[in-house]
Amino acid sequence: MGRKTTTPGNGPKAPVTLTPAAGLAAAEPLRTLGWMRQAHQQQLALCGELEAIADSLPANIDRQQCLLAAARLEPLIRNVHHYEENTLFPWLRRRNAADDDLARTLHRLTSEHCEDACFAEELTEALLILGSGGGANMDAVGYMLRGFFEGLRRHIAFEREHLLGAYSDDEIVMPYPL
Ligand SMILES: [Fe+2]
């Protein structure tokens, strides 16, 4: 099953502070789905920044913007993936144990996480080169940027509609195992 393009739902209203993945397990007794929606909002905001960088190529690059995006990209992606794969997805599996379609969907989304994590690593290197004024193949960087943020937007839209759509923001998601 390929990624589906869906219309994102209403996002959260307040910003969320995402902690580094390394400190997440110990600092996370439980979270609500509202947290997940806020995390999606942060990812979408970053997608907007990456799109602005792509649009600035090749002649109007804001180096500071590239460096800031490079610093945020991998920690944000890693943190959200950690939460989804270790808390949200197991919680959904437990609530829908007989749903084979959901099991396959979660497997596919986890595979997309792996692809996006690798992509984020490559993109971070490219952004650091742009931010430092180094030489880069602008066409290739633009292609990478657009491939990443377009894919991530589709991924988030799917998760919002098909994973979170049936639940309210204040739904408590218990870590696994209980
Ligand atoms: Fe995801």
Side-chain angles (χ1 to χ4, degrees), residues 155-170:
H155 180 96
I156 291 170
F158 182 91
E159 289 182 344
R160 281 176 154 185
E161 180 168 334
H162 297 281
L163 296 189
L164 308 184
Y167 303 106
S168 64
D169 278 4
D170 58 0

Side-chain angles (χ1 to χ4, degrees), residues 7-170:
T7 302
N10 293 329
K13 298 173 180 59
V16 61
T17 300
L18 296 175
T19 55
L24 197 59
E28 182 194 33
L30 55 82
R31 280 179 173 158
T32 65
L33 286 185
W35 185 94
M36 186 67 242
R37 290 194 171 92
Q38 290 182 353
H40 275 158
Q41 283 295 103
Q42 283 206 345
Q43 288 181 303
L44 291 173
L46 182 59
C47 285
E49 294 171 27
L50 296 177
E51 183 169 22
I53 293 171
D55 290 343
S56 76
L57 300 177
N60 298 305
I61 300 170
D62 181 335
R63 292 184 184 179
Q64 183 70 11
Q65 185 180 35
C66 293
L67 293 174
L68 289 172
R72 291 179 57 210
L73 180 56
E74 285 191 276
L76 177 59
I77 295 296
R78 183 169 56 242
N79 196 14
V80 174
H81 289 176
H82 180 92
Y83 172 75
E84 289 180 319
E85 293 170 18
N86 293 280
T87 300
L88 177 63
F89 290 1
W91 179 80
L92 288 168
R93 286 192 191 98
R94 288 201 307 277
R95 292 179 66 109
N96 305 276
D99 190 337
D100 292 336
D101 285 342
L102 176 67
R104 282 190 289 272
T105 294
L106 296 179
H107 181 76
R108 174 179 62 81
L109 293 171
T110 301
S111 296
E112 290 183 5
H113 289 172
C114 292
E115 295 170 9
D116 284 347
C118 291
F119 213 164
E121 184 177 351
E122 295 175 11
L123 203 47
T124 296
E125 293 177 10
L127 288 167
L128 288 173
I129 291 171
L130 288 181
S132 63
N137 181 327
M138 297 298 176
D139 288 340
V141 174
Y143 184 81
M144 286 175 62
L145 284 163
R146 294 186 189 285
F148 182 80
F149 68 70
E150 288 171 359
L152 185 55
R153 283 171 173 164
R154 286 194 295 272
H155 180 96
I156 291 170
F158 182 91
E159 289 182 344
R160 281 176 154 185
E161 180 168 334
H162 297 281
L163 296 189
L164 308 184
Y167 303 106
S168 64
D169 278 4
D170 58 0

